[in-house]
Amino acid sequence: MTAPPVEILCDAALFLDFDGTLVSLADRPDAVHVDAALRRLLADLHHALNGRLAIVSGRSVETLIDDFGLGDFIIAGTHGLQYHQPGLAMDAPVRLQAVDHAQRAMESFASDKPGVFVERKTLSVGLHFRLGERWTRECEALALQLADELGLYVQAGKAIFELRPGGADKGSAVRRLMDLPVMSGGSPVFIGDDVTDEEGFEAAADLGGGGILVGLPRRTKARWRLEHVEHVKHYLAGGAAFLKGEPLPATGA
């Protein structure tokens, strides 16, 4: 797989995953930081693309806005279960009691397993084991059991099993957001790093665009690849400059 040419951003409707794409993965989700430089970069791209930029994340909309200051952008949160447009009320279902039951069971399970912890999200709950990989099989078994008992969907990611309502994914988020007037006329480009982003890559390709994988080569539906988060930011900075007719930033990211 080759690196994406900057020219594909000329008429792009740009969809950006968050963790592992815009920010490096951390041992705990609350250890992630968004600096002013990243916000400026996203704002530059948003302006250069005439608003055709959205963040599509497994994080909740509330976290992306309240903790990371990203409320000025279109957001699809919790894998396409929540939708935010600046100035409008958020579109999201209510939290299911089944998710609360799953959270209590996960917290009991994690209480005596060092390195395993539970993350409460607005509509879902995540069981993390990045710091306790020896418990991977047990975490997976619990997630599958709870999903079967409670009628929830298991979202597997990098060192996490998340339980949430079904019926949405990053692909459905791309398809829905492409129907927004601000995105009309754009060619979808989805950038992401995780297996949870594969549906986004597929939707972008189906709609005439393509995906950009972040990370090591693997079997993927993405068309292009960038090596890591710093390469993503350098590529996006180059895209913003290109769209504004400015010199591209120096290589070496």
PDB file of all heavy atoms in Angstrom, residues 137-170:
ATOM      1  N   ARG A 137      -8.416 -13.480  27.060  1.00  0.00           N
ATOM      2  CA  ARG A 137      -9.433 -14.496  26.777  1.00  0.00           C
ATOM      3  C   ARG A 137     -10.611 -14.391  27.733  1.00  0.00           C
ATOM      4  O   ARG A 137     -11.773 -14.540  27.334  1.00  0.00           O
ATOM      5  CB  ARG A 137      -8.812 -15.886  26.856  1.00  0.00           C
ATOM      6  CG  ARG A 137      -7.845 -16.203  25.715  1.00  0.00           C
ATOM      7  CD  ARG A 137      -7.366 -17.639  25.786  1.00  0.00           C
ATOM      8  NE  ARG A 137      -6.451 -17.961  24.694  1.00  0.00           N
ATOM      9  CZ  ARG A 137      -5.884 -19.151  24.527  1.00  0.00           C
ATOM     10  NH1 ARG A 137      -6.127 -20.121  25.399  1.00  0.00           N
ATOM     11  NH2 ARG A 137      -5.077 -19.364  23.512  1.00  0.00           N
ATOM     12  N   GLU A 138     -10.320 -14.135  28.998  1.00  0.00           N
ATOM     13  CA  GLU A 138     -11.399 -13.997  29.972  1.00  0.00           C
ATOM     14  C   GLU A 138     -12.261 -12.775  29.677  1.00  0.00           C
ATOM     15  O   GLU A 138     -13.494 -12.816  29.826  1.00  0.00           O
ATOM     16  CB  GLU A 138     -10.818 -13.916  31.385  1.00  0.00           C
ATOM     17  CG  GLU A 138     -10.230 -15.209  31.902  1.00  0.00           C
ATOM     18  CD  GLU A 138      -8.763 -15.397  31.511  1.00  0.00           C
ATOM     19  OE1 GLU A 138      -8.282 -14.651  30.619  1.00  0.00           O
ATOM     20  OE2 GLU A 138      -8.109 -16.273  32.097  1.00  0.00           O
ATOM     21  N   CYS A 139     -11.627 -11.666  29.244  1.00  0.00           N
ATOM     22  CA  CYS A 139     -12.368 -10.464  28.885  1.00  0.00           C
ATOM     23  C   CYS A 139     -13.293 -10.732  27.697  1.00  0.00           C
ATOM     24  O   CYS A 139     -14.470 -10.318  27.693  1.00  0.00           O
ATOM     25  CB  CYS A 139     -11.413  -9.325  28.563  1.00  0.00           C
ATOM     26  SG  CYS A 139     -10.520  -8.651  29.979  1.00  0.00           S
ATOM     27  N   GLU A 140     -12.750 -11.414  26.711  1.00  0.00           N
ATOM     28  CA  GLU A 140     -13.560 -11.721  25.530  1.00  0.00           C
ATOM     29  C   GLU A 140     -14.739 -12.622  25.893  1.00  0.00           C
ATOM     30  O   GLU A 140     -15.875 -12.390  25.445  1.00  0.00           O
ATOM     31  CB  GLU A 140     -12.707 -12.389  24.460  1.00  0.00           C
ATOM     32  CG  GLU A 140     -13.475 -12.728  23.198  1.00  0.00           C
ATOM     33  CD  GLU A 140     -12.613 -13.355  22.131  1.00  0.00           C
ATOM     34  OE1 GLU A 140     -11.540 -13.899  22.465  1.00  0.00           O
ATOM     35  OE2 GLU A 140     -13.013 -13.308  20.945  1.00  0.00           O
ATOM     36  N   ALA A 141     -14.479 -13.637  26.708  1.00  0.00           N
ATOM     37  CA  ALA A 141     -15.547 -14.559  27.092  1.00  0.00           C
ATOM     38  C   ALA A 141     -16.658 -13.828  27.844  1.00  0.00           C
ATOM     39  O   ALA A 141     -17.856 -14.068  27.608  1.00  0.00           O
ATOM     40  CB  ALA A 141     -14.978 -15.686  27.949  1.00  0.00           C
ATOM     41  N   LEU A 142     -16.276 -12.931  28.746  1.00  0.00           N
ATOM     42  CA  LEU A 142     -17.281 -12.178  29.487  1.00  0.00           C
ATOM     43  C   LEU A 142     -18.089 -11.283  28.559  1.00  0.00           C
ATOM     44  O   LEU A 142     -19.325 -11.214  28.667  1.00  0.00           O
ATOM     45  CB  LEU A 142     -16.612 -11.331  30.573  1.00  0.00           C
ATOM     46  CG  LEU A 142     -17.570 -10.435  31.368  1.00  0.00           C
ATOM     47  CD1 LEU A 142     -18.532 -11.279  32.196  1.00  0.00           C
ATOM     48  CD2 LEU A 142     -16.799  -9.457  32.249  1.00  0.00           C
ATOM     49  N   ALA A 143     -17.406 -10.586  27.657  1.00  0.00           N
ATOM     50  CA  ALA A 143     -18.107  -9.693  26.736  1.00  0.00           C
ATOM     51  C   ALA A 143     -19.109 -10.458  25.884  1.00  0.00           C
ATOM     52  O   ALA A 143     -20.260 -10.010  25.698  1.00  0.00           O
ATOM     53  CB  ALA A 143     -17.100  -8.965  25.856  1.00  0.00           C
ATOM     54  N   LEU A 144     -18.711 -11.599  25.372  1.00  0.00           N
ATOM     55  CA  LEU A 144     -19.613 -12.400  24.541  1.00  0.00           C
ATOM     56  C   LEU A 144     -20.791 -12.920  25.359  1.00  0.00           C
ATOM     57  O   LEU A 144     -21.935 -12.943  24.880  1.00  0.00           O
ATOM     58  CB  LEU A 144     -18.846 -13.562  23.913  1.00  0.00           C
ATOM     59  CG  LEU A 144     -17.794 -13.177  22.868  1.00  0.00           C
ATOM     60  CD1 LEU A 144     -16.981 -14.390  22.458  1.00  0.00           C
ATOM     61  CD2 LEU A 144     -18.449 -12.540  21.646  1.00  0.00           C
ATOM     62  N   GLN A 145     -20.509 -13.340  26.584  1.00  0.00           N
ATOM     63  CA  GLN A 145     -21.580 -13.843  27.450  1.00  0.00           C
ATOM     64  C   GLN A 145     -22.593 -12.753  27.756  1.00  0.00           C
ATOM     65  O   GLN A 145     -23.811 -12.961  27.654  1.00  0.00           O
ATOM     66  CB  GLN A 145     -20.986 -14.376  28.748  1.00  0.00           C
ATOM     67  CG  GLN A 145     -22.028 -14.811  29.783  1.00  0.00           C
ATOM     68  CD  GLN A 145     -21.401 -15.097  31.135  1.00  0.00           C
ATOM     69  OE1 GLN A 145     -20.228 -15.401  31.240  1.00  0.00           O
ATOM     70  NE2 GLN A 145     -22.206 -14.977  32.190  1.00  0.00           N
ATOM     71  N   LEU A 146     -22.096 -11.568  28.142  1.00  0.00           N
ATOM     72  CA  LEU A 146     -22.997 -10.471  28.475  1.00  0.00           C
ATOM     73  C   LEU A 146     -23.796 -10.010  27.258  1.00  0.00           C
ATOM     74  O   LEU A 146     -24.983  -9.680  27.368  1.00  0.00           O
ATOM     75  CB  LEU A 146     -22.209  -9.309  29.064  1.00  0.00           C
ATOM     76  CG  LEU A 146     -21.599  -9.542  30.450  1.00  0.00           C
ATOM     77  CD1 LEU A 146     -20.687  -8.372  30.828  1.00  0.00           C
ATOM     78  CD2 LEU A 146     -22.692  -9.717  31.495  1.00  0.00           C
ATOM     79  N   ALA A 147     -23.143  -9.967  26.117  1.00  0.00           N
ATOM     80  CA  ALA A 147     -23.840  -9.555  24.898  1.00  0.00           C
ATOM     81  C   ALA A 147     -24.995 -10.505  24.597  1.00  0.00           C
ATOM     82  O   ALA A 147     -26.096 -10.081  24.232  1.00  0.00           O
ATOM     83  CB  ALA A 147     -22.867  -9.513  23.727  1.00  0.00           C
ATOM     84  N   ASP A 148     -24.752 -11.801  24.764  1.00  0.00           N
ATOM     85  CA  ASP A 148     -25.791 -12.796  24.504  1.00  0.00           C
ATOM     86  C   ASP A 148     -26.935 -12.681  25.513  1.00  0.00           C
ATOM     87  O   ASP A 148     -28.111 -12.738  25.148  1.00  0.00           O
ATOM     88  CB  ASP A 148     -25.174 -14.198  24.561  1.00  0.00           C
ATOM     89  CG  ASP A 148     -26.183 -15.288  24.221  1.00  0.00           C
ATOM     90  OD1 ASP A 148     -26.717 -15.274  23.098  1.00  0.00           O
ATOM     91  OD2 ASP A 148     -26.437 -16.150  25.092  1.00  0.00           O
ATOM     92  N   GLU A 149     -26.584 -12.482  26.778  1.00  0.00           N
ATOM     93  CA  GLU A 149     -27.601 -12.416  27.830  1.00  0.00           C
ATOM     94  C   GLU A 149     -28.417 -11.127  27.768  1.00  0.00           C
ATOM     95  O   GLU A 149     -29.619 -11.135  28.069  1.00  0.00           O
ATOM     96  CB  GLU A 149     -26.935 -12.522  29.206  1.00  0.00           C
ATOM     97  CG  GLU A 149     -26.315 -13.886  29.494  1.00  0.00           C
ATOM     98  CD  GLU A 149     -25.577 -13.902  30.819  1.00  0.00           C
ATOM     99  OE1 GLU A 149     -25.432 -12.813  31.430  1.00  0.00           O
ATOM    100  OE2 GLU A 149     -25.127 -14.985  31.235  1.00  0.00           O
ATOM    101  N   LEU A 150     -27.783 -10.030  27.372  1.00  0.00           N
ATOM    102  CA  LEU A 150     -28.417  -8.716  27.460  1.00  0.00           C
ATOM    103  C   LEU A 150     -28.856  -8.147  26.113  1.00  0.00           C
ATOM    104  O   LEU A 150     -29.425  -7.060  26.056  1.00  0.00           O
ATOM    105  CB  LEU A 150     -27.457  -7.730  28.135  1.00  0.00           C
ATOM    106  CG  LEU A 150     -27.053  -8.082  29.574  1.00  0.00           C
ATOM    107  CD1 LEU A 150     -25.910  -7.177  30.048  1.00  0.00           C
ATOM    108  CD2 LEU A 150     -28.257  -7.956  30.509  1.00  0.00           C
ATOM    109  N   GLY A 151     -28.562  -8.864  25.033  1.00  0.00           N
ATOM    110  CA  GLY A 151     -28.963  -8.387  23.710  1.00  0.00           C
ATOM    111  C   GLY A 151     -28.186  -7.180  23.236  1.00  0.00           C
ATOM    112  O   GLY A 151     -28.732  -6.309  22.548  1.00  0.00           O
ATOM    113  N   LEU A 152     -26.900  -7.142  23.584  1.00  0.00           N
ATOM    114  CA  LEU A 152     -26.041  -6.042  23.176  1.00  0.00           C
ATOM    115  C   LEU A 152     -25.075  -6.480  22.091  1.00  0.00           C
ATOM    116  O   LEU A 152     -24.906  -7.679  21.824  1.00  0.00           O
ATOM    117  CB  LEU A 152     -25.271  -5.500  24.388  1.00  0.00           C
ATOM    118  CG  LEU A 152     -26.126  -4.881  25.494  1.00  0.00           C
ATOM    119  CD1 LEU A 152     -25.267  -4.563  26.711  1.00  0.00           C
ATOM    120  CD2 LEU A 152     -26.830  -3.623  24.995  1.00  0.00           C
ATOM    121  N   TYR A 153     -24.436  -5.515  21.484  1.00  0.00           N
ATOM    122  CA  TYR A 153     -23.456  -5.762  20.414  1.00  0.00           C
ATOM    123  C   TYR A 153     -22.050  -5.672  20.992  1.00  0.00           C
ATOM    124  O   TYR A 153     -21.741  -4.747  21.753  1.00  0.00           O
ATOM    125  CB  TYR A 153     -23.644  -4.727  19.306  1.00  0.00           C
ATOM    126  CG  TYR A 153     -22.669  -4.855  18.160  1.00  0.00           C
ATOM    127  CD1 TYR A 153     -22.859  -5.797  17.159  1.00  0.00           C
ATOM    128  CD2 TYR A 153     -21.554  -4.022  18.074  1.00  0.00           C
ATOM    129  CE1 TYR A 153     -21.973  -5.910  16.105  1.00  0.00           C
ATOM    130  CE2 TYR A 153     -20.665  -4.127  17.027  1.00  0.00           C
ATOM    131  CZ  TYR A 153     -20.878  -5.079  16.047  1.00  0.00           C
ATOM    132  OH  TYR A 153     -19.991  -5.193  15.015  1.00  0.00           O
ATOM    133  N   VAL A 154     -21.186  -6.623  20.618  1.00  0.00           N
ATOM    134  CA  VAL A 154     -19.794  -6.588  21.043  1.00  0.00           C
ATOM    135  C   VAL A 154     -18.970  -5.866  19.993  1.00  0.00           C
ATOM    136  O   VAL A 154     -18.912  -6.296  18.837  1.00  0.00           O
ATOM    137  CB  VAL A 154     -19.211  -8.001  21.254  1.00  0.00           C
ATOM    138  CG1 VAL A 154     -17.740  -7.911  21.668  1.00  0.00           C
ATOM    139  CG2 VAL A 154     -19.999  -8.761  22.294  1.00  0.00           C
ATOM    140  N   GLN A 155     -18.348  -4.772  20.377  1.00  0.00           N
ATOM    141  CA  GLN A 155     -17.438  -4.033  19.494  1.00  0.00           C
ATOM    142  C   GLN A 155     -16.016  -4.301  19.957  1.00  0.00           C
ATOM    143  O   GLN A 155     -15.583  -3.799  20.993  1.00  0.00           O
ATOM    144  CB  GLN A 155     -17.725  -2.534  19.555  1.00  0.00           C
ATOM    145  CG  GLN A 155     -16.850  -1.695  18.635  1.00  0.00           C
ATOM    146  CD  GLN A 155     -17.268  -1.854  17.191  1.00  0.00           C
ATOM    147  OE1 GLN A 155     -18.341  -1.406  16.800  1.00  0.00           O
ATOM    148  NE2 GLN A 155     -16.426  -2.496  16.397  1.00  0.00           N
ATOM    149  N   ALA A 156     -15.293  -5.130  19.220  1.00  0.00           N
ATOM    150  CA  ALA A 156     -13.902  -5.420  19.562  1.00  0.00           C
ATOM    151  C   ALA A 156     -13.004  -4.354  18.960  1.00  0.00           C
ATOM    152  O   ALA A 156     -13.196  -3.931  17.821  1.00  0.00           O
ATOM    153  CB  ALA A 156     -13.504  -6.793  19.037  1.00  0.00           C
ATOM    154  N   GLY A 157     -12.021  -3.900  19.745  1.00  0.00           N
ATOM    155  CA  GLY A 157     -11.058  -2.924  19.267  1.00  0.00           C
ATOM    156  C   GLY A 157      -9.680  -3.261  19.786  1.00  0.00           C
ATOM    157  O   GLY A 157      -9.409  -4.402  20.176  1.00  0.00           O
ATOM    158  N   LYS A 158      -8.802  -2.278  19.792  1.00  0.00           N
ATOM    159  CA  LYS A 158      -7.437  -2.488  20.266  1.00  0.00           C
ATOM    160  C   LYS A 158      -7.432  -2.550  21.789  1.00  0.00           C
ATOM    161  O   LYS A 158      -7.583  -1.542  22.472  1.00  0.00           O
ATOM    162  CB  LYS A 158      -6.519  -1.372  19.756  1.00  0.00           C
ATOM    163  CG  LYS A 158      -6.275  -1.447  18.249  1.00  0.00           C
ATOM    164  CD  LYS A 158      -5.299  -0.380  17.792  1.00  0.00           C
ATOM    165  CE  LYS A 158      -4.981  -0.537  16.307  1.00  0.00           C
ATOM    166  NZ  LYS A 158      -4.064   0.526  15.816  1.00  0.00           N
ATOM    167  N   ALA A 159      -7.300  -3.770  22.331  1.00  0.00           N
ATOM    168  CA  ALA A 159      -7.255  -4.024  23.777  1.00  0.00           C
ATOM    169  C   ALA A 159      -8.518  -3.547  24.483  1.00  0.00           C
ATOM    170  O   ALA A 159      -8.469  -3.065  25.604  1.00  0.00           O
ATOM    171  CB  ALA A 159      -6.013  -3.405  24.411  1.00  0.00           C
ATOM    172  N   ILE A 160      -9.657  -3.697  23.827  1.00  0.00           N
ATOM    173  CA  ILE A 160     -10.933  -3.339  24.442  1.00  0.00           C
ATOM    174  C   ILE A 160     -12.041  -4.189  23.831  1.00  0.00           C
ATOM    175  O   ILE A 160     -12.025  -4.498  22.635  1.00  0.00           O
ATOM    176  CB  ILE A 160     -11.270  -1.840  24.251  1.00  0.00           C
ATOM    177  CG1 ILE A 160     -12.599  -1.483  24.924  1.00  0.00           C
ATOM    178  CG2 ILE A 160     -11.282  -1.462  22.788  1.00  0.00           C
ATOM    179  CD1 ILE A 160     -12.960  -0.013  24.863  1.00  0.00           C
ATOM    180  N   PHE A 161     -12.983  -4.582  24.682  1.00  0.00           N
ATOM    181  CA  PHE A 161     -14.261  -5.117  24.233  1.00  0.00           C
ATOM    182  C   PHE A 161     -15.334  -4.171  24.756  1.00  0.00           C
ATOM    183  O   PHE A 161     -15.447  -3.944  25.959  1.00  0.00           O
ATOM    184  CB  PHE A 161     -14.492  -6.542  24.745  1.00  0.00           C
ATOM    185  CG  PHE A 161     -13.583  -7.556  24.136  1.00  0.00           C
ATOM    186  CD1 PHE A 161     -12.536  -8.096  24.871  1.00  0.00           C
ATOM    187  CD2 PHE A 161     -13.747  -7.958  22.817  1.00  0.00           C
ATOM    188  CE1 PHE A 161     -11.678  -9.026  24.305  1.00  0.00           C
ATOM    189  CE2 PHE A 161     -12.895  -8.887  22.244  1.00  0.00           C
ATOM    190  CZ  PHE A 161     -11.854  -9.419  22.987  1.00  0.00           C
ATOM    191  N   GLU A 162     -16.102  -3.624  23.839  1.00  0.00           N
ATOM    192  CA  GLU A 162     -17.124  -2.643  24.184  1.00  0.00           C
ATOM    193  C   GLU A 162     -18.488  -3.251  23.946  1.00  0.00           C
ATOM    194  O   GLU A 162     -18.712  -3.920  22.934  1.00  0.00           O
ATOM    195  CB  GLU A 162     -16.941  -1.383  23.337  1.00  0.00           C
ATOM    196  CG  GLU A 162     -17.888  -0.255  23.653  1.00  0.00           C
ATOM    197  CD  GLU A 162     -17.576   1.000  22.852  1.00  0.00           C
ATOM    198  OE1 GLU A 162     -16.475   1.087  22.266  1.00  0.00           O
ATOM    199  OE2 GLU A 162     -18.447   1.891  22.818  1.00  0.00           O
ATOM    200  N   LEU A 163     -19.415  -3.039  24.873  1.00  0.00           N
ATOM    201  CA  LEU A 163     -20.795  -3.478  24.714  1.00  0.00           C
ATOM    202  C   LEU A 163     -21.667  -2.257  24.493  1.00  0.00           C
ATOM    203  O   LEU A 163     -21.614  -1.289  25.266  1.00  0.00           O
ATOM    204  CB  LEU A 163     -21.257  -4.248  25.944  1.00  0.00           C
ATOM    205  CG  LEU A 163     -20.613  -5.630  26.149  1.00  0.00           C
ATOM    206  CD1 LEU A 163     -21.192  -6.306  27.377  1.00  0.00           C
ATOM    207  CD2 LEU A 163     -20.804  -6.517  24.929  1.00  0.00           C
ATOM    208  N   ARG A 164     -22.473  -2.307  23.450  1.00  0.00           N
ATOM    209  CA  ARG A 164     -23.310  -1.167  23.077  1.00  0.00           C
ATOM    210  C   ARG A 164     -24.519  -1.664  22.312  1.00  0.00           C
ATOM    211  O   ARG A 164     -24.561  -2.825  21.885  1.00  0.00           O
ATOM    212  CB  ARG A 164     -22.505  -0.192  22.209  1.00  0.00           C
ATOM    213  CG  ARG A 164     -22.005  -0.779  20.887  1.00  0.00           C
ATOM    214  CD  ARG A 164     -21.326   0.282  20.050  1.00  0.00           C
ATOM    215  NE  ARG A 164     -20.780  -0.207  18.798  1.00  0.00           N
ATOM    216  CZ  ARG A 164     -21.466  -0.357  17.672  1.00  0.00           C
ATOM    217  NH1 ARG A 164     -22.763  -0.093  17.646  1.00  0.00           N
ATOM    218  NH2 ARG A 164     -20.875  -0.774  16.568  1.00  0.00           N
ATOM    219  N   PRO A 165     -25.512  -0.799  22.088  1.00  0.00           N
ATOM    220  CA  PRO A 165     -26.603  -1.174  21.187  1.00  0.00           C
ATOM    221  C   PRO A 165     -26.070  -1.406  19.778  1.00  0.00           C
ATOM    222  O   PRO A 165     -25.074  -0.801  19.363  1.00  0.00           O
ATOM    223  CB  PRO A 165     -27.532   0.042  21.228  1.00  0.00           C
ATOM    224  CG  PRO A 165     -27.168   0.765  22.478  1.00  0.00           C
ATOM    225  CD  PRO A 165     -25.706   0.515  22.695  1.00  0.00           C
ATOM    226  N   GLY A 166     -26.715  -2.264  19.039  1.00  0.00           N
ATOM    227  CA  GLY A 166     -26.325  -2.498  17.648  1.00  0.00           C
ATOM    228  C   GLY A 166     -27.015  -1.526  16.714  1.00  0.00           C
ATOM    229  O   GLY A 166     -27.598  -0.531  17.130  1.00  0.00           O
ATOM    230  N   GLY A 167     -26.924  -1.827  15.439  1.00  0.00           N
ATOM    231  CA  GLY A 167     -27.631  -1.035  14.443  1.00  0.00           C
ATOM    232  C   GLY A 167     -26.865   0.133  13.868  1.00  0.00           C
ATOM    233  O   GLY A 167     -27.422   0.920  13.098  1.00  0.00           O
ATOM    234  N   ALA A 168     -25.593   0.278  14.251  1.00  0.00           N
ATOM    235  CA  ALA A 168     -24.794   1.386  13.721  1.00  0.00           C
ATOM    236  C   ALA A 168     -23.334   0.995  13.743  1.00  0.00           C
ATOM    237  O   ALA A 168     -22.910   0.158  14.532  1.00  0.00           O
ATOM    238  CB  ALA A 168     -25.012   2.655  14.535  1.00  0.00           C
ATOM    239  N   ASP A 169     -22.566   1.588  12.857  1.00  0.00           N
ATOM    240  CA  ASP A 169     -21.120   1.439  12.850  1.00  0.00           C
ATOM    241  C   ASP A 169     -20.537   2.636  12.111  1.00  0.00           C
ATOM    242  O   ASP A 169     -21.277   3.549  11.710  1.00  0.00           O
ATOM    243  CB  ASP A 169     -20.671   0.111  12.215  1.00  0.00           C
ATOM    244  CG  ASP A 169     -21.194  -0.084  10.792  1.00  0.00           C
ATOM    245  OD1 ASP A 169     -21.233   0.901  10.017  1.00  0.00           O
ATOM    246  OD2 ASP A 169     -21.553  -1.216  10.443  1.00  0.00           O
ATOM    247  N   LYS A 170     -19.233   2.665  11.937  1.00  0.00           N
ATOM    248  CA  LYS A 170     -18.624   3.835  11.307  1.00  0.00           C
ATOM    249  C   LYS A 170     -18.984   3.941   9.824  1.00  0.00           C
ATOM    250  O   LYS A 170     -18.966   5.031   9.253  1.00  0.00           O
ATOM    251  CB  LYS A 170     -17.119   3.826  11.530  1.00  0.00           C
ATOM    252  CG  LYS A 170     -16.750   4.049  12.998  1.00  0.00           C
ATOM    253  CD  LYS A 170     -15.265   4.139  13.212  1.00  0.00           C
ATOM    254  CE  LYS A 170     -14.951   4.393  14.694  1.00  0.00           C
ATOM    255  NZ  LYS A 170     -13.502   4.518  14.943  1.00  0.00           N
TER     256      LYS A 170
END
